Amino acid sequence: MRELGIRDVQSIARLAHLRLAPGSLEGWRRQLARILAAFSALEAVDVSGVAPTTHVQDPGNGTRADEPRPCLPRASVLAPAADSAQGHFRVPRVIG
Amino acid sequence: MPSLTHQSIADMRAGLEAGEFSCEELTRAHLERIDQVDDKVHAFLHVDAEGALERARAFDGQQRKPHGSARRRNSLAGIPLALKDIFCTRDMPTTCGSRLLAGYCPPYDATLVQRLRRAGAILVGKTNMDEFAMGSSCENSAFGPTHNPLDLSRVPGGSSGGSAAAVAAREIPGSYGTDTGGSVRQPAAFCGIVGLKPTYGRISRYGMVAFASSLDQAGPLARSVEDLAILLDAVWGPDHRDATTSSRTVPRTDGNARLNGLVFGLPREYAQSAGLQPGVERAYQSALARVEEAGGRLSHLRLPHTDLAIPTYYLLATAEASANLARYDGVRYGRRPQQPGDDLAAMYEASRSEGFGEEVQRRIMLGTFALSAGYQEAFYGRAQRVRTLIRNDFALAFQKVDLILTPTAPGVAFALGEKVADPLSLYQTDLFTVPASLAGLPALSLPCGSSEGLPVGLQIIAPPFHEERLLQAARGIEKALDLAPFHAALGG
C-alpha cells in the first residue's frame, strides 16, 4: 500500500465527521501510517479460498412474531437530548 | 468471622441467610471501604450510596417477612455489586468514560442489569473504564485514570480497570466488565483477581454500549472462581432483545474442582513470544508444573496464526467501532457544544471532536479508513478471512486437548503513563487475549504467581460453550496453586 498522505487524513476525518486542527494533521498522518504499516503483515497471508468470518457462532436469523410491543415513552427518549421541541429532536438547519 | 469486606460472595450469602449480619450492614461496610480508599484508587465514576442503602433496607424488611426465604434463594440476593460504566442503568448515569456522555442517564436498563436486579443484587455504583472500552490501561478515561490497588503507581489494566480495581481493593466483592479483546481478563490478571469472558453470545449485549459488536461480551470479575461462577449464573442465557445471544441452555455451574484426566494444550507461539517477560514466563512454567502434579496432562501444540491476531483484531474492532460510534452526533443524547456551528454537519463535527478523546478518535479514523472505498477488501475483508484462519487453529487444537493454558498478558501491570505516548506498544499488550476473542471462545484469567511483586495471570481457554469445564478446571488449578491473596497497598 502507498504511504498515507495529508489529503488521505483529511478525507478520513471528513468521512468520520471529525474536525482535526490543521497543525495536528502531520502528527495524525505519521501515527496512522505507522500503525497501518505494522498491520501490513496481513498482506502476505494467503487467504485464497478462505471464507470471511462475520459471526463466530452463526446462530441464524433471529425472528419473532411481527406483533407490536410497548416502546419507551416519548418524553423519556427526548429527555437526554441536547435540544428538543414539540416532541422532536431539534437540530441546526439542514438546508440553507 | 472475617470483616465483611474480606468475605467471599458465597460466605456473604450464607451469612445473610443465617442472619449473622443484615444486608444494610454488608452494604454499609462496602460503602465505608469505598469512602476510605477510592480517592486513591479511583475505581468508581458514580456511587449511589443512598439508593444502595435504601435497597438494602428493603431487602432486610423482606427477609423478616414469613415468606422471605423465597427471596433468599435468589443467587445474588443482598450482595453489593458494581458495574462497568458501559451498562445502561435507568437510575445511575452511564458515561462510558467519555466526556461526550457526561451526565447521560439512559431511559432503560441493560438486560444484564435487569437480571441482576431480579436476582436481588444491590447495585452500588458504576466503575471507571477506558473511554468506550478502547484501551488496555484505564488511562483513557475522560474522568482520570484508575490506579492499581496493589501498587498505586501502576495501571489496573483495561478497559474494565475500574471493575477489577474495585474488587481487588475490596470496595466490592464482585463486578461486571466487558471484554472485546481482553478487557476483563487482562485487568483481572493485573489486579490479582479472577475474570471471565464467556463464549460470544452467552450474555445479552442489550443495553451494553457497543464498541465492536462481533467481539463484545460481558463478563464477571471476582476474588475466587466460586464467586465468579455465582456471578455468571445470574446473568447468562438467551435474550429476545439480542439476536446474537445463543439459545443453548446454560448449565448450572456446580463449582466442583476438576483437573484429573484433563489435557491442557500449551501453544508454542505464546511461550516463544518476543514480548513475554521472563518473570511472567517463570510464573507460568511453575503453575504448569503444579497443574501436572495435580493430575492434569500437558501437551504442546501450535496455533500458527497467533502473530496475526493483533492486526486482525485492531482492523476489525476499529472498523466496527467507526460504525457503532457514528450514533454519537449530538442529536439524541450526549454532549453538544454551546456553539454547535451553522448547520447539521458542523454540529456533528463539533460534537464528536469535542466529545471524543484522542484514542477514540484514532480508532474511529483507523476503522473509517479500513472501510473506505478502495481499501475495504484489502483491510477489513482480509482481516475477516484471517479471523477464520485463527478460529480454525483453535478448532484443530480442541480436537486434541480439552483446554488451552497461556499467560494472560506478556507482562505485569506497567507504570501509569509508560505507554501513553505509543499506542502501538499498548496494542501489543493484548497479544495473548485477542486470539480467543476473535474465535469467540470462553476464556478466564486467574492468578498463578507473581513477578516484581505483582500478580501474573494464567489464561484458560475452552471450546465454545464449555464454560462448565472451564470453571471446573479453574477451580482445580486455584486449589492446586493455593496462592495467598494479593494485598492491596491501601491498609485495612
Side-chain angles (χ1 to χ4, degrees):
Chain A
M1 193 201 117
R2 66 176 174 79
E3 173 93 345
L4 214 62
I6 291 282
R7 291 184 68 150
D8 294 314
V9 175
Q10 288 170 319
S11 157
I12 299 165
R14 195 166 52 249
L15 287 169
H17 288 296
L18 290 170
R19 186 183 296 159
L20 305 180
S24 72
L25 289 174
E26 175 53 22
W28 277 107
R29 188 200 66 75
R30 245 183 292 127
Q31 204 169 61
L32 295 177
R34 181 165 171 257
I35 294 169
L36 290 169
F39 291 176
S40 66
L42 296 191
E43 289 173 23
V45 185
D46 180 9
V47 290
S48 50
V50 179
T53 291
T54 53
H55 194 294
V56 280
Q57 306 305 346
D58 196 13
N61 213 359
T63 59
R64 62 171 173 83
D66 187 16
E67 291 162 356
R69 294 179 183 194
C71 61
L72 293 167
R74 183 180 288 247
S76 72
V77 173
L78 290 171
D83 196 4
S84 65
Q86 297 168 19
H88 295 83
F89 299 108
R90 185 155 64 183
V91 297
R93 67 186 166 82
V94 179
I95 301 166
Chain B
M1 185 175 77
S3 93
L4 293 178
T5 57
H6 280 78
Q7 293 194 11
S8 68
I9 293 175
D11 289 341
M12 288 175 193
R13 286 206 307 195
L16 285 169
E17 175 93 34
E20 289 169 15
F21 45 82
S22 68
C23 180
E24 184 176 352
E25 287 170 318
L26 183 64
T27 305
R28 203 176 282 284
H30 286 93
L31 290 170
E32 282 169 7
R33 177 72 177 165
I34 292 169
D35 262 355
Q36 281 167 10
V37 304
D38 208 56
D39 59 335
K40 299 184 196 79
V41 180
H42 192 225
F44 281 86
L45 289 180
H46 181 81
V47 178
D48 180 19
E50 274 185 30
L53 287 170
E54 198 178 299
R55 289 187 286 278
R57 283 191 286 266
F59 173 87
D60 289 331
Q62 282 289 113
Q63 290 292 83
R64 283 191 288 274
K65 287 184 180 168
H67 300 295
S69 59
R71 186 80 188 262
R72 288 180 208 146
R73 281 199 292 272
N74 287 337
S75 59
L76 289 170
I79 306 297
L81 296 173
L83 299 166
K84 184 175 184 177
D85 204 19
I86 199 168
F87 296 104
C88 286
T89 42
R90 58 179 157 68
D91 54 356
M92 288 187 265
T94 300
T95 68
C96 253
S98 180
R99 194 163 49 236
L100 195 140
L101 285 178
Y104 169 59
C105 279
Y108 66 99
D109 278 338
T111 295
L112 177 136
V113 175
Q114 278 185 356
R115 290 183 180 180
L116 289 175
R117 292 194 203 275
R118 214 175 299 142
I122 307 294
L123 301 179
V124 165
K126 308 290 288 288
T127 52
N128 200 10
M129 55 183 285
D130 287 297
E131 184 179 5
F132 288 104
M134 297 181 191
S136 310
S137 66
C138 214
E139 293 168 288
N140 290 336
S141 167
F143 308 108
T146 295
H147 297 250
N148 191 319
L150 306 178
D151 177 344
L152 295 169
S153 69
R154 309 257 178 166
V155 302
S159 64
S160 311
S163 294
V167 173
R170 289 182 292 99
E171 294 172 87
I172 207 79
S175 64
Y176 293 86
T178 59
D179 190 314
T180 303
S183 284
V184 162
R185 290 162 284 160
Q186 184 252 28
F190 279 13
C191 291
I193 60 165
V194 193
L196 167 71
K197 182 197 89 70
T199 309
Y200 180 84
R202 275 297 202 189
I203 299 181
S204 171
R205 291 182 296 113
Y206 179 78
M208 190 177 105
V209 177
F211 160 20
S213 302
S214 79
L215 295 151
D216 294 343
Q217 188 59 196
L221 297 112
R223 292 191 290 266
S224 71
V225 178
E226 184 185 18
D227 284 1
L228 201 68
I230 295 170
L231 294 175
L232 178 66
D233 272 342
V235 296
W236 63 348
D239 176 21
H240 72 270
R241 288 176 300 191
D242 174 3
T244 61
T245 49
S246 167
S247 56
R248 290 181 187 227
T249 48
V250 291
R252 289 301 286 185
T253 44
D254 62 13
N256 290 336
R258 180 179 166 218
L259 270 188
N260 220 353
L262 285 177
V263 182
F264 293 93
L266 314 176
R268 290 185 197 282
E269 290 76 8
Y270 288 62
Q272 291 164 357
S273 165
L276 182 62
Q277 289 176 0
V280 172
E281 190 183 1
R282 276 193 296 276
Y284 170 63
Q285 293 297 345
S286 151
L288 296 181
R290 299 298 294 273
V291 169
E292 201 167 23
E293 281 165 23
R297 281 173 49 209
L298 305 182
S299 171
H300 291 279
L301 54 79
R302 309 222 60 135
L303 295 169
H305 296 96
T306 300
D307 62 335
L308 301 173
I310 290 282
T312 303
Y313 170 82
Y314 274 93
L315 283 168
L316 295 177
T318 57
E320 293 183 27
S322 73
N324 274 327
L325 272 67
R327 73 191 68 180
Y328 302 105
D329 54 12
V331 176
R332 288 161 298 167
Y333 32 65
R335 181 192 173 92
R336 185 191 293 186
Q338 292 293 322
Q339 305 291 330
D342 295 334
D343 59 27
L344 191 63
M347 187 203 74
Y348 288 164
E349 279 190 0
S351 301
R352 292 164 63 78
S353 304
E354 291 183 26
F356 290 138
E358 188 178 321
E359 180 61 26
V360 173
Q361 294 197 33
R362 179 162 32 248
R363 295 199 194 193
I364 290 174
M365 298 270 284
L366 278 168
T368 302
F369 177 68
L371 290 177
S372 61
Y375 295 104
Q376 180 164 0
E377 188 45 42
F379 285 94
Y380 183 69
R382 180 166 278 268
Q384 282 186 311
R385 292 173 204 281
V386 177
R387 184 176 188 178
T388 303
L389 297 175
I390 291 167
R391 284 175 67 204
N392 291 346
D393 282 356
F394 280 108
L396 269 177
F398 284 125
Q399 288 176 8
K400 299 178 198 135
V401 301
D402 298 308
L403 295 158
I404 291 172
L405 294 180
T406 78
T408 306
V412 292
F414 46 88
L416 281 153
E418 187 181 322
K419 296 184 192 287
V420 167
D422 185 0
L424 202 50
S425 79
L426 194 59
Y427 299 169
Q428 296 293 342
T429 63
D430 300 338
L431 181 63
F432 295 164
T433 47
V434 292
S437 299
L438 289 165
L441 302 173
L444 180 155
S445 176
L446 85 162
C448 73
S450 61
S451 169
E452 304 168 43
L454 292 160
V456 172
L458 177 71
Q459 179 177 227
I460 317 173
I461 307 171
F465 302 106
H466 282 73
E467 281 85 359
E468 204 175 4
R469 184 193 296 170
L470 179 62
L471 288 161
Q472 287 173 342
R475 194 90 192 273
I477 295 174
E478 188 182 49
K479 275 173 79 174
L481 295 174
D482 193 25
L483 292 182
F486 290 89
H487 287 291
L490 298 159

